[in-house]
Amino acid sequence: MSLIDQIDKQKVPQHIAIIMDGNGRWAKQQGENRIYGHYEGVNSVRAVVEACGEVGVKYVTLYAFSTENWNRPKEEVDALMELLVSTISAETPELNKKNVRLQAIGNLESLPPACLEELNESISITSKNTGLTLVLALSYSSKWELLTAVQQIAKDVQNGLMQADEITEKHVQNYLCTKNIPDPELMIRTSGEHRISNFLLWQLAYAEFYFTEKFWPDFRKNDLFEAILNYQNRERRFGKTSEQLTPSK
Ligand code: IPE
Ligand code: IPE
Ligand code: MG
C-alpha cells in the first residue's frame, strides 16, 4: 500500500510546522554554493504544499527566514530575499489554482520593500482561497514575537484596559502573529538538527516533534507522509495517563 493510503484521514494534523533546514549542506555535497541549495529547496516547498492539500492538512507553517538569519553573509541574505520575491510572484497563480491561501508571520516590516510588496500582493490575491493555508515565517523569531506581545499587553494594562492579574493565555495568544491559527500538532525539522532555533516556542508547547536526517532539498511528498504516519502512531496524553485515554485497555 502506498504511504498516502496508509494515512488515517480522520487523524491528520490540522497544522504542521516545518523547519526547512540543510539547504547549504545539501548544496555543498553537490559541490555547489549554498545559494543553489536554497533554489532547490523551492521544489520541496512545492511538493509539501501539494502533499498537505492531498491529505487535508489545513495549515502548514514554513520557517523560511529567521531573525538570526539576517546575520548571514550579505550575498546569501540578498539571494534569499530575491528568491523569495521571484518564487512568490511565480507561484501565486499555482497557489490560486490549488485553492491555497498565503499568509506570513514575523517582523515583516524588516523585509526589503520589494519583497514585502510582492508578499502582500500574493497574500491579498489568495486571501479568498479556502483550502490549505500556507504560512511563511519570515524574519521571524519566537522571542521577538513574545517580546512584542508582552509590550502590547503591558500597554493595555497601562491604559487601564485590564489588570495585570486578569491576563490570560487567550490574551497572550491574541497578541501573537498566529492569533487566528491553531497551534501545530506536528513539527518537522530536516537535516538532522535537533533544536527549535527560536521557532514558535509558545505554539509548539504540546506539538509532536519529528526529525529526519534528510536535507530540505531532498524532502518530498513521501517524507511528509512518513512524518504524518509516525505522528499517527503516537499517543498524545497531554499530561493524563494512557489508561485515561483508552479506559478499556
Ligand atoms: C535552511 O537551510 C534555509 C535557511 C535557513 C534560510 P540552511 O541555509 O540553514 O542550510 P544549512 O543548515 O547551513 O545546511
Ligand atoms: C532555522 O535554521 C531557520 C530556518 C530554517 C529559516 P538555521 O539553519 O538558521 O538554524 P540554526 O542556526 O542551525 O539553529
Ligand atoms: Mg541551517
Side-chain angles (χ1 to χ4, degrees):
M1 203 174 14
S2 66
L3 284 174
I4 189 169
D5 292 331
Q6 292 172 45
I7 292 175
D8 178 348
K9 300 294 182 305
Q10 308 306 314
K11 279 174 55 189
V12 171
Q14 63 171 336
H15 185 176
I16 300 178
I18 307 182
I19 302 180
M20 312 184 287
D21 199 15
N23 295 352
R25 279 165 284 165
W26 181 89
K28 214 167 159 193
Q29 260 187 0
Q30 324 280 314
E32 301 281 349
N33 71 10
R34 298 179 49 82
I35 293 162
Y36 178 68
H38 298 314
Y39 276 81
E40 283 298 310
V42 175
N43 296 325
S44 306
V45 171
R46 213 176 283 123
V48 160
V49 166
E50 244 179 64
C52 284
E54 285 168 22
V55 291
V57 171
K58 287 275 157 229
Y59 297 85
V60 63
T61 297
L62 303 179
Y63 204 6
F65 194 85
S66 72
T67 306
E68 289 75 19
N69 289 149
W70 289 114
N71 298 320
R72 290 191 178 193
K74 186 178 179 316
E75 310 91 76
E76 183 167 346
V77 171
D78 289 349
L80 279 165
M81 291 302 143
E82 269 169 40
L83 178 63
L84 190 68
V85 176
S86 59
T87 305
I88 291 173
S89 94
E91 298 291 325
T92 302
E94 198 56 32
L95 293 179
N96 252 340
K97 225 196 278 171
K98 295 198 180 96
N99 197 19
V100 176
R101 177 172 66 145
L102 183 69
Q103 293 194 340
I105 56 171
N107 186 6
L108 305 178
E109 268 84 63
S110 67
L111 295 171
C115 204
L116 184 57
E117 207 176 295
E118 197 62 58
L119 184 66
N120 281 335
E121 196 176 315
S122 181
I123 288 173
S124 140
I125 292 173
T126 61
S127 65
K128 301 260 173 355
N129 292 339
T130 54
L132 174 72
T133 298
L134 165 62
V135 184
L136 294 181
L138 291 168
S139 191
Y140 174 87
S141 78
S142 206
K143 284 192 175 178
W144 163 82
E145 179 185 41
L146 288 167
L147 196 62
T148 309
V150 169
Q151 287 168 348
Q152 282 168 320
I153 292 171
K155 274 186 201 149
D156 284 351
V157 172
Q158 209 170 31
N159 294 333
L161 294 176
M162 62 179 144
Q163 301 292 315
D165 55 9
E166 287 169 356
I167 300 166
T168 62
E169 278 192 22
K170 193 96 200 110
H171 287 118
V172 177
Q173 230 154 299
N174 277 338
Y175 279 119
L176 299 179
C177 308
T178 52
K179 71 170 173 207
N180 294 316
I181 301 174
D183 288 345
E185 296 97 325
L186 173 62
M187 194 285 285
I188 299 170
R189 182 167 189 153
T190 58
S191 89
E193 304 296 353
H194 295 186
R195 60 177 166 271
I196 203 165
S197 300
N198 220 341
F199 188 43
L200 302 175
L201 299 178
W202 173 282
Q203 297 88 338
L204 293 176
Y206 248 115
E208 298 295 329
F209 286 12
Y210 179 87
F211 298 102
T212 166
E213 294 295 315
K214 277 202 181 175
F215 292 136
W216 178 248
D218 285 331
F219 195 88
R220 284 296 181 273
K221 282 187 184 185
N222 273 340
D223 299 298
L224 185 90
F225 298 149
E226 251 173 49
I228 295 176
L229 281 167
N230 183 292
Y231 161 86
Q232 291 188 333
N233 282 318
R234 299 183 191 191
E235 184 176 65
R236 305 189 74 207
R237 290 189 287 279
F238 298 99
K240 294 184 178 173
T241 67
S242 191
E243 291 72 19
Q244 281 176 294
L245 300 175
T246 46
S248 55
K249 245 189 202 173

